[in-house]
Amino acid sequence: MIYQDSKTILEVRGLRANVNGVEILKGLDLTVKSGEIHAIMGPNGSGKSTFSKVLAGHSAYEVTGGTVLFEGKNLFELAPEERARAGVFLAFQYPIEIPGVANSQFLRLTYNTVQAERGKDELDPLEFDDYVREKMKLLEMNPDFLDRSVNEGFSGGEKKRNEILQMAMLEPKLAILDETDSGLDIDALRIVSNGVNHLANKDNAMVLVTHYQRLLNYIVPDYVHVMEAGRIIKTGGKELALELETRGYDWVSAESKAARLAA
Amino acid sequence: MSATLQNLVNQPYKHGFVTDIETDVAPKGLSEQTIRMISAKKNEPEWLLEFRLNAYRSWLKMEEPTWANVKYTEIDFQAISYYAAPKPKAKLKSMDEVDPELLRTFEKLGVPLHERAALAGVAVDVIFDSVSVATTYKEKLAEVGIIFCAMSEAVQHHPELVQKYLGSVVPVGDNFYAALNSAVFTDGSFCYIPKGVKCPMDLSTYFRINTQESGQFERTLIIAEEGASVSYLEGCTAPKFDTNQLHAAVVELIALDNADIKYSTVQNWYAGDENGVGGIYNFVTKRGLAKGVNSRISWTQVETGSAITWKYPSCVLLGENSVGEFYSVALTNHHQQADTGTKMIHIGKNTRSTIVSKGISAGHSNNSYRGLVKVTPTAAGARNYSQCDSMLIGDQSGAHTFPYIQVRNNTAKVEHEASTSKIGEDQLFYFAQRGIGAEAAVSMIINGFCKDVFQQLPLEFAVEATNLLSFKLEGSVG
């Protein structure tokens, strides 16, 4: 939701980034304020996932230009784990499997690490168990999840729910959901979307990276951005997503080209 | 490999100090004369000298084994001193007379020798170079008939037991290093648990090599009579030298009817520096004989040290329904090489064995699992389950698995599972994205990987092993 007295959470200016020496992001601009939900759409290869990984600090992505301010501070001065502790959360498109490490153990470590950063009390295993079970209800997750290895043998939907569970626990300032809808059946999509809607409030912000309008039926964005060749070429309201669904991306691309020529 | 992974494995060795103590070191070199000298120093009976000389004569005819997946320059057996002992001031009457320098050494290593300061519930025998310097709780154990003392003491006070069992599981000519050990062994621990006695505390031996030119050749013998049970722990460290020291031990376990022996090792010999200079050559023969019906022998090892490890704690399952177990974590870093595993020899009917091996390789190290499961024609209904998992850290290390399975009874059931995984950048990134730094992430992944083995360790040891692995890997992840 767009609020009058909102604060700027994320400010991206002219962001450029390479992967394996190939430039993927070519001058991206984006401003996200508290309370807002942004959707970033665009064809395959437009740089959507690269953008989310750059924000989270993945080492395979090299930032070559531009600035990113997170709550007014230079995001690139922070190591990936520091960004996470400061409140940047990335829900992975392909959550990583960690064999041998119990989900409960992993969740508690991440929860306590972030709590410690915020000067709050850590929870012992018993307290944490109560806390996490409560959160799991939100996502209609079976408590068996806690005893299984992190993401190992999880179905696509279970993995995504596990991501949103972590988001619910960590209460980030900025949540980036990288194609969270991919591979979800309609029930899982509903559950995940409910979770996300439940977590959205006027102090945090969400960036949804997605291919499909489908997700936006459940999570209604304040802004929809179209990305092409490493830049945002068009921004609109939620109705833009519907237009993209019926007309595809070509017309946006053509419009943007025409605008550049005119300039 | 990235710098974080790299840094995580590269931790300094904290047990690398040398104790400055007056030592009685035998001249280098090995001959019949050396063996007679050792035997005389220990005031041994004639039969034991004969045992040694027999072993020496077999050894002379044997070749150093070359089948292990390890590389090292040839050992000059004449350049080693076969006996080194701190000079005793006088005959010791109590712990208070132990050289204070030695007491300080072991305190620094976390092994207090005073019983009042000792780990509650653990009796410790402490071996410094070639001799046992102290054994705690000896009297208390004697009350229930348990003999726990240095091997050289057992030879004096319980010669009939030593003579009956020494070499009965690992014969003098068993292999090159066992033969060498049988010829020159100096000290070690001796445990005897009488019929029906459950040992009331864990027994433990702490081995320390201190002298640069000496080798350590200890000999341990554990006998559990009918219905007896014991849990035995072993720890080892050595100072940092830029030369290699040879450690060639022999351990023999004998479990009679319904007896149970659990043997746990945390091995942290000096592993050499990051360029592979120095470190211990750990060439060890460990074997248990599950002689009686329903007997059980269980080996648990956490191998983190040594430049080279060549070690296969084995079980000979002779008694009907006897059980053999092997749980192992072997971690190698830098230029360490480990070729380790087990042998399960099924002879009795309905014998069962379990093998769980976890190998972790970092740096430029090489880690091999080598195991034999052998089912003889008499072992009807034998069962084995083996699981061998390898984990690679970085892209310069190697993991190898050499399982040998020989089944000669068609009622046997043998299962083998293996896996190889890698701590990847993506896993570390995932942890980082949840606020968890690389060190904590690696420690959590490794502990998860080793969980099945750590569960087998006595509690204090499990904690120590967990810390040791984290410590060893600190700085290896980038």
Side-chain angles (χ1 to χ4, degrees):
Chain A
M1 203 173 292
I2 301 169
Y3 295 88
Q4 287 305 320
D5 57 345
S6 61
K7 297 189 193 77
T8 301
I9 289 194
L10 185 73
E11 191 160 17
V12 181
R13 289 288 166 266
L15 180 61
R16 291 175 174 273
N18 291 355
V19 184
N20 296 327
V22 179
E23 186 167 66
I24 306 289
L25 299 185
K26 303 174 178 174
L28 189 147
D29 297 308
L30 178 70
T31 302
V32 177
K33 294 185 170 173
S34 58
E36 296 173 355
I37 297 179
H38 291 242
I40 298 182
M41 304 183 72
N44 279 331
S46 56
K48 305 188 298 293
S49 280
T50 297
F51 178 51
S52 53
K53 294 229 172 73
V54 165
L55 292 181
H58 194 293
S59 60
Y61 298 80
E62 186 198 355
V63 175
T64 53
T67 57
V68 174
L69 298 181
F70 173 68
E71 296 195 300
K73 282 167 291 196
N74 181 358
L75 186 68
F76 297 140
E77 281 179 1
L78 302 178
E81 60 270 27
E82 293 168 330
R83 297 182 197 185
R85 290 176 208 154
V88 176
F89 182 90
L90 171 64
F92 283 59
Q93 180 179 4
Y94 302 110
I96 308 295
E97 298 189 359
I98 306 166
V101 175
N103 211 17
S104 56
Q105 222 183 345
F106 173 76
L107 294 175
R108 190 167 76 90
L109 180 63
T110 167
Y111 177 78
N112 280 341
T113 305
V114 172
Q115 285 298 97
E117 179 79 11
R118 293 174 185 167
K120 291 187 186 155
D121 286 344
E122 299 182 13
L123 297 183
D124 68 32
L126 290 177
E127 292 167 333
F128 180 75
D129 195 62
D130 291 341
Y131 172 81
V132 74
R133 277 166 194 267
E134 203 50 47
K135 295 281 177 191
M136 285 169 85
K137 284 185 193 158
L138 176 68
L139 292 153
E140 299 177 29
M141 284 169 86
N142 186 326
D144 290 355
F145 272 77
L146 294 172
D147 302 324
R148 293 164 63 183
S149 292
V150 181
N151 294 325
E152 195 187 33
F154 285 25
S155 71
E158 288 171 337
K159 283 183 181 172
K160 296 295 171 76
R161 276 194 256 179
N162 206 27
E163 293 294 287
I164 305 305
L165 172 66
Q166 294 177 52
M167 176 174 143
M169 281 169 24
L170 301 180
E171 299 177 343
K173 277 277 166 55
L174 173 69
I176 305 146
L177 282 69
D178 190 4
E179 307 219 6
T180 294
D181 52 333
S182 69
L184 291 188
D185 61 31
I186 209 77
D187 286 331
L189 184 63
R190 176 185 55 78
I191 293 166
V192 164
S193 304
N194 279 348
V196 172
N197 285 328
H198 188 86
L199 297 169
N201 62 41
K202 70 174 179 38
D203 295 317
N204 62 24
M206 314 239 176
V207 175
L208 315 175
V209 173
T210 181
H211 263 301
Y212 303 108
Q213 194 272 334
R214 185 175 78 143
L215 174 70
L216 307 180
N217 290 334
Y218 295 90
I219 308 172
V220 180
D222 302 301
Y223 297 98
V224 173
H225 308 277
V226 178
M227 216 168 145
E228 189 192 67
R231 290 182 308 120
I232 286 173
I233 57 167
K234 187 174 180 70
T235 295
K238 62 183 177 200
E239 63 290 342
L240 177 57
L242 291 167
E243 204 173 348
L244 292 169
E245 181 81 354
T246 49
R247 296 176 65 193
Y249 290 110
D250 290 349
W251 66 275
V252 190
S253 180
E255 198 179 274
S256 144
K257 214 172 277 170
R260 258 182 291 155
L261 284 176
Chain B
M1 146 164 97
S2 61
T4 336
L5 264 171
Q6 206 51 270
N7 290 337
L8 261 183
V9 216
N10 302 335
Q11 273 289 305
Y13 183 69
K14 64 174 174 181
H15 308 293
F17 62 92
V18 184
T19 306
D20 185 10
I21 191 163
E22 231 189 311
T23 310
D24 178 8
V25 184
K28 289 176 189 175
L30 181 56
S31 63
E32 287 208 8
Q33 202 193 335
T34 322
I35 292 162
R36 287 178 193 281
M37 179 275 292
I38 294 171
S39 192
K41 261 190 196 295
K42 296 189 165 285
N43 190 28
E44 287 176 352
E46 190 57 30
W47 64 264
L48 191 48
L49 176 62
E50 273 313 307
F51 177 94
R52 291 175 179 279
L53 292 173
N54 262 338
Y56 177 63
R57 287 168 200 141
S58 325
W59 180 74
L60 286 176
K61 291 183 225 133
M62 296 169 96
E63 301 264 335
E64 218 177 319
T66 52
W67 44 261
N69 187 25
V70 296
K71 290 190 193 76
Y72 56 96
T73 49
E74 219 176 307
I75 298 173
D76 179 358
F77 290 95
Q78 297 304 334
I80 295 171
S81 163
Y82 289 84
Y83 185 86
K87 276 190 185 155
K89 304 238 155 94
K91 185 97 181 106
L92 301 182
K93 285 208 188 63
S94 82
M95 204 59 72
D96 299 328
E97 293 174 26
V98 174
D99 190 309
E101 194 56 44
L102 276 181
L103 289 180
R104 272 196 291 280
T105 299
F106 285 100
E107 237 141 68
K108 217 163 145 184
L109 294 169
V111 188
L113 300 185
H114 285 290
E115 284 181 13
R116 60 174 181 273
L119 285 171
V122 181
V124 189
D125 182 26
V126 169
I127 315 271
F128 191 82
D129 287 335
S130 303
V131 294
S132 166
V133 292
T135 310
T136 60
Y137 293 114
K138 223 180 342 190
E139 288 76 20
K140 198 167 174 209
L141 291 166
E143 287 170 18
V144 287
I146 294 172
I147 304 167
F148 179 46
C149 63
M151 181 60 88
S152 48
E153 215 178 304
V155 168
Q156 301 303 323
H157 301 302
H158 311 282
E160 69 299 339
L161 284 173
V162 178
Q163 190 170 9
K164 182 171 175 191
Y165 289 110
L166 191 74
S168 69
V169 185
V170 179
V172 292
D174 186 79
N175 69 67
F176 185 81
Y177 293 107
L180 179 64
N181 173 285
S182 302
V184 302
F185 74 88
T186 42
D187 224 330
S189 298
F190 176 84
C191 315
Y192 175 82
I193 320 293
K195 196 170 164 178
V197 172
K198 313 266 175 234
C199 187
M201 60 176 81
D202 289 345
L203 304 184
S204 155
T205 304
Y206 195 93
F207 295 99
R208 174 78 178 169
I209 295 179
N210 192 59
T211 311
Q212 182 158 11
E213 274 79 32
S214 78
Q216 192 174 46
F217 304 93
E218 88 271 1
R219 186 100 192 181
T220 294
L221 181 55
I222 302 178
I223 302 142
E225 287 277 8
E226 275 173 47
S229 78
V230 62
S231 165
Y232 178 92
L233 329 168
E234 170 196 75
C236 0
T237 59
K240 285 183 183 180
F241 292 122
D242 55 8
T243 52
N244 301 104
Q245 287 82 44
L246 178 61
H247 171 254
V250 170
V251 175
E252 295 175 283
L253 314 181
I254 296 126
L256 300 179
D257 288 357
N258 302 304
D260 188 332
I261 302 175
K262 190 174 168 59
Y263 192 108
S264 313
T265 305
V266 173
Q267 185 263 106
N268 188 21
W269 294 120
Y270 179 54
D273 67 9
E274 64 275 19
N275 300 313
V277 176
I280 302 286
Y281 289 168
N282 190 34
F283 299 157
V284 171
T285 304
K286 292 184 169 179
R287 194 174 304 152
L289 175 63
K291 194 171 181 182
V293 297
N294 302 319
S295 56
R296 185 174 82 115
I297 287 182
S298 177
W299 299 99
T300 304
Q301 60 171 17
V302 178
E303 302 283 317
T304 65
S306 299
I308 302 176
T309 297
W310 179 98
K311 181 182 168 190
Y312 315 91
S314 305
C315 299
V316 178
L317 304 172
L318 187 63
E320 270 183 35
N321 300 318
S322 59
V323 175
E325 294 170 334
F326 175 74
Y327 298 96
S328 168
V329 167
L331 178 144
T332 53
N333 190 12
H334 301 311
H335 292 266
Q336 275 178 279
Q337 307 173 66
D339 191 302
T340 183
T342 185
K343 287 190 275 187
M344 293 291 173
I345 315 292
H346 293 257
I347 299 170
K349 280 184 192 152
N350 297 319
T351 45
R352 281 166 292 149
S353 63
T354 303
I355 298 171
V356 177
S357 162
K358 307 279 181 175
I360 303 160
S361 340
H364 292 81
S365 70
N366 242 320
N367 202 322
S368 304
Y369 167 81
R370 186 183 303 276
L372 168 68
V373 176
K374 184 171 177 174
V375 179
T376 61
T378 51
R383 292 202 53 170
N384 162 267
Y385 171 74
S386 304
Q387 184 189 338
C388 302
D389 299 323
S390 307
M391 178 172 277
L392 295 164
I393 299 178
D395 51 11
Q396 303 291 316
S397 57
H400 316 269
T401 305
F402 304 97
Y404 303 84
I405 298 173
Q406 300 169 5
V407 180
R408 297 183 56 206
N409 185 306
N410 58 17
T411 61
K413 193 172 164 191
V414 175
E415 293 173 74
H416 182 97
E417 286 180 26
S419 77
T420 303
S421 56
K422 191 169 190 270
I423 295 190
E425 294 296 321
D426 280 339
Q427 285 181 331
L428 295 180
F429 178 63
Y430 191 66
F431 273 94
Q433 217 307 301
R434 300 301 184 250
I436 303 167
E439 283 189 18
V442 167
S443 153
M444 189 169 236
I445 294 171
I446 296 281
N447 282 317
F449 180 71
C450 301
K451 196 167 52 188
D452 297 344
V453 175
F454 287 171
Q455 278 168 355
Q456 299 297 326
L457 288 171
L459 189 62
E460 304 82 10
F461 252 38
V463 174
E464 189 188 325
T466 307
N467 292 341
L468 188 59
L469 287 198
S470 307
F471 180 74
K472 280 264 172 179
L473 284 172
E474 239 170 76
S476 84
V477 184

